[in-house]
Amino acid sequence: MHLLVIFLAAAVSAQNSPPPPPPDRIWFRQDSLPAGETCASIYETVKNTPAVIKERTPSSWSDDATFKISHQILTGTYTNPKTGETTERKGRDWAHDSGKKSTCAEGCCEFQFGSLAKNYVKWFPTSSDCSNTGAAKEAPLYFKASAGAAAKLCALFPEKADSAPVWQLLEGTAAGCVGQCCTIKRN
């Protein structure tokens, strides 16, 4: 949760010139590897198809989704949003990992490796303000929308890295969409 809070706070505060994203992964769903096949060989057959996802993104899955993925961590430069310090991160070769879907928000979920549980900030969509927190959910901050559509939500996170979380109104547009699953880019 701490990492998500830092990411969300950094994304919200760095509206005009956000740091480049951390190096990420290439992945695709592959429940089993046929005899003689590897993640890399299967990637060669699917690399130019919608099956390949090239970043950490939301996806829509059924409620009982448990599956395996093939993924490769990419080499790249990560900029720490708190300090501005850049670090070169090594990549990792292809792996075939088990996992399951995360808690979902409006049908948009994340892949979780093995039994690794993630904590999420509480948030909810709103048409007014943050006074009625009854609809808040602790889930990935993804919602169904079209890229560029107006978006308004409330999220519980600290205004500063060392302060207590407070409900904050976020107004902006739907961005970072994968299909209909989007997050918010503040105005």
Side-chain angles (χ1 to χ4, degrees), residues 2 5 13 16 43 53 66 84 90 95 100 104 114 124 127 141 160 171 186:
H2 183 68
V5 170
S13 65
N16 296 332
Y43 172 70
I53 300 172
T66 297
K90 284 190 165 191
K100 59 184 178 181
C104 298
F124 61 94
S127 58
L141 207 158
K160 296 179 184 174
E171 296 183 83
R186 275 184 99 172

Side-chain angles (χ1 to χ4, degrees), residues 4 17 58 94:
L4 181 60
S17 58
W94 286 101

Side-chain angles (χ1 to χ4, degrees), residues 2-15 17-23 77-87 89 161:
H2 183 68
L3 181 59
L4 181 60
V5 170
I6 290 171
F7 172 76
L8 185 56
V12 169
S13 65
Q15 296 171 32
S17 58
T77 303
Y78 169 75
T79 302
N80 183 323
K82 281 178 76 174
T83 65
E85 178 183 333
T86 57
T87 306
R89 291 224 177 138

Side-chain angles (χ1 to χ4, degrees), residues 108-163:
C108 301
C109 317
E110 291 181 318
F111 177 81
Q112 291 183 338
F113 292 96
S115 61
L116 178 64
K118 288 174 85 174
N119 294 316
Y120 297 100
V121 297
K122 289 184 179 179
W123 71 276
F124 61 94
T126 185
S127 58
S128 57
D129 59 28
C130 299
S131 59
N132 184 1
T133 62
K137 56 191 148 248
E138 215 168 307
L141 207 158
Y142 301 128
F143 51 89
K144 295 237 172 143
S146 298
K152 193 173 185 180
L153 58 91
C154 296
L156 183 65
F157 61 93
E159 290 177 321
K160 296 179 184 174
D162 59 347
S163 62

Side-chain angles (χ1 to χ4, degrees), residues 58 142-143 145-149 151 173-178 181-186:
Y142 301 128
F143 51 89
S146 298
T173 56
C177 302
V178 174
C181 295
C182 304
T183 192
I184 190 168
K185 178 182 177 187
R186 275 184 99 172

Side-chain angles (χ1 to χ4, degrees), residues 61-104:
W61 296 305
S62 64
D63 287 340
D64 61 351
T66 297
F67 51 88
K68 291 188 174 190
I69 67 166
S70 292
H71 68 99
Q72 179 184 38
I73 307 296
L74 303 175
T75 299
T77 303
Y78 169 75
T79 302
N80 183 323
K82 281 178 76 174
T83 65
E85 178 183 333
T86 57
T87 306
E88 189 69 24
R89 291 224 177 138
K90 284 190 165 191
R92 195 172 71 198
D93 204 1
W94 286 101
H96 193 230
D97 286 326
S98 296
K100 59 184 178 181
K101 73 174 181 64
S102 67
T103 302
C104 298

Side-chain angles (χ1 to χ4, degrees), residues 40-71:
S41 66
I42 292 175
Y43 172 70
E44 289 302 317
T45 66
V46 299
K47 68 181 176 183
N48 294 317
T49 72
V52 176
I53 300 172
K54 296 186 177 182
E55 54 192 84
R56 276 186 206 186
T57 56
S59 298
S60 294
W61 296 305
S62 64
D63 287 340
D64 61 351
T66 297
F67 51 88
K68 291 188 174 190
I69 67 166
S70 292
H71 68 99

